[in-house]
Amino acid sequence: MANAGLLSRDQIAGVIQKVRTAIFSKANTTPISIRQNASLKGEAPEIAPWVSHVELPAPPSEQDGVQQLLLKAIETLGQGNEQYVVPSLQRIQAQWTSATSNLPPGINQMERSDEAKYHSMMDKVTCSHHSAICASSIVLAGDSSGACLALALIQVILSARKTQGTNNPVVRFHGRQVVLQMPSGLALQSPLGDQTNSLPSWKDNGTFDVVQELSPVMLPDYPRDSIWPSSPPRGDVYCESSMICHPLVSPTAALDWAGAPPMWFALGEERMVDAAKVIVQRAAAQGVHVRLELYEAMPHNWPMLFPTWWQSDFCMERWAHACRDYVEDRVMSSSVEYVSVNKDITKQDVGELSSFTPEEALVKMREKQATLKPWFPRNAIEKL
């Protein structure tokens, strides 16, 4: 892949178009169940020795308050007309990934249990088998939908603070009272802040994004399966239509970020950039330290899609520095930087990010929400 530093905007657009076509030529015709199964494959043989899986069982409902905490946040942050299926308590599956590739002599990690691999990974860690990590040493990092989840979690904690009237709200987890503390910061790349896709950049920035305007699952000929269309049918694959403007689904709709930890954002010239700008503007205006980096002509998740481009190296380096800054309590003042294809960096004013206000953005989102109708594929309609 050519170095993007040598490419003009038009040349970058040409590369992005080819990648977008390659991605969606398959995604537009592959049922959701098949796409999900493909994401559940195990690690490649060369990776498996360095991964140890862990599973935490779902606590008995009488010993847990997480579900009630979430339901209270949905109620507190919502409009009162939301309808949704109450989520059940689920087990937590996670994995440890080793930072070293040095196998002990004569040991075949492929044949070792997850527990044995974990203890091997932790041999040089002073806190093995470690206790809970202090929130001040944790940075929530994520990209795309993962970044959306990180923002939603902050809204849940902020909601709990208001509901319980304290900056140290508690939740019952596996029979223990646990204090919900804020992490030291958020470091997010290409967050999905608006699930309605209703802000101007969604249409205006299509040239430089690998994401197509209409989601594959909303195409009239998209193949149906046991997952989609949902039963009962709804207007969006992500959630019920009445929930799509809820702050836990679309963080761009959140009205209050006061008390949130410092946040770092990196976005390209992508469809979702307006949604992130709204969050940045509102949070900064409410006293949150926010840093936003905007990369000219870069698509959604460009560091993962084009890892050899200089913009990817630069972004990953900045991302890592942000995590270190927050853990080491080096909080910078709010700022916006624009990174051009020529490697020039210019500063912008946080208050002048958008041509519309956060309040106007929410109006656009709710207008789009009102148009959502239960979705049926064309071939399903013809059989009704």
Side-chain angles (χ1 to χ4, degrees), residues 61-300:
S61 57
E62 67 273 10
Q63 295 183 10
D64 196 84
V66 172
Q67 184 186 60
Q68 291 305 313
L69 182 83
L70 176 61
L71 297 181
K72 187 63 178 179
I74 293 174
E75 175 188 347
T76 302
L77 298 171
Q79 298 292 301
N81 62 344
E82 292 84 2
Q83 298 179 349
Y84 58 94
V85 176
V86 176
S88 59
L89 292 169
Q90 298 289 325
R91 68 186 190 278
I92 299 174
Q93 294 175 296
Q95 65 184 39
W96 291 94
T97 303
S98 176
T100 178
S101 59
N102 296 322
L103 274 172
I107 299 241
N108 184 352
Q109 287 278 49
M110 288 290 289
E111 298 176 356
R112 307 185 79 192
S113 68
D114 281 326
E115 182 178 2
K117 285 192 285 186
Y118 171 82
H119 284 292
S120 176
M121 293 175 189
M122 290 291 155
D123 278 346
K124 296 182 179 180
V125 179
T126 57
C127 56
S128 169
H129 186 273
H130 69 74
S131 57
I133 301 297
C134 179
S136 61
S137 296
I138 296 175
V139 174
L140 296 182
D143 66 281
S144 195
S145 294
C148 176
L149 290 174
L151 290 165
L153 178 57
I154 297 304
Q155 282 294 310
V156 170
I157 298 176
L158 289 174
S159 173
R161 283 182 169 185
K162 292 180 181 178
T163 301
Q164 298 184 24
T166 174
N167 284 338
N168 295 297
V170 296
V171 60
R172 188 171 178 80
F173 185 63
H174 281 275
R176 297 175 53 216
Q177 293 293 105
V178 179
V179 178
L180 283 177
Q181 296 178 322
M182 282 291 182
S184 63
L186 272 67
L188 311 174
Q189 198 265 325
S190 291
L192 295 181
D194 169 27
Q195 299 294 343
T196 70
N197 302 331
S198 59
L199 302 183
S201 62
W202 186 260
K203 288 183 177 292
D204 295 345
N205 290 5
T207 300
F208 293 102
D209 210 337
V210 293
V211 179
Q212 67 183 23
E213 183 175 349
L214 191 62
S215 171
V217 299
M218 304 307 290
L219 296 173
D221 292 319
Y222 187 74
R224 66 184 303 167
D225 62 5
S226 59
I227 298 177
W228 188 254
S230 60
S231 180
R234 59 177 185 257
D236 190 88
V237 69
Y238 199 81
C239 65
E240 288 81 353
S241 298
S242 64
M243 282 290 296
I244 204 164
C245 284
H246 194 283
L248 300 189
V249 175
S250 293
T252 300
L255 300 178
D256 191 359
W257 292 99
M263 299 188 282
W264 177 91
F265 293 80
L267 290 102
E269 200 167 333
E270 55 188 285
R271 293 186 186 275
M272 291 299 295
V273 68
D274 279 349
K277 287 179 178 180
V278 170
I279 297 173
V280 170
Q281 277 189 294
R282 190 185 289 276
Q286 295 172 342
V288 180
H289 294 279
V290 187
R291 292 153 61 187
L292 171 63
E293 297 182 7
L294 299 171
Y295 290 73
E296 181 184 8
M298 289 295 101
H300 184 72

Side-chain angles (χ1 to χ4, degrees), residues 335-350:
S335 63
V336 179
E337 292 185 332
Y338 181 80
V339 183
S340 77
V341 294
N342 298 319
K343 300 189 178 183
D344 295 326
I345 300 177
T346 57
K347 294 188 178 295
Q348 298 183 355
D349 189 278
V350 176

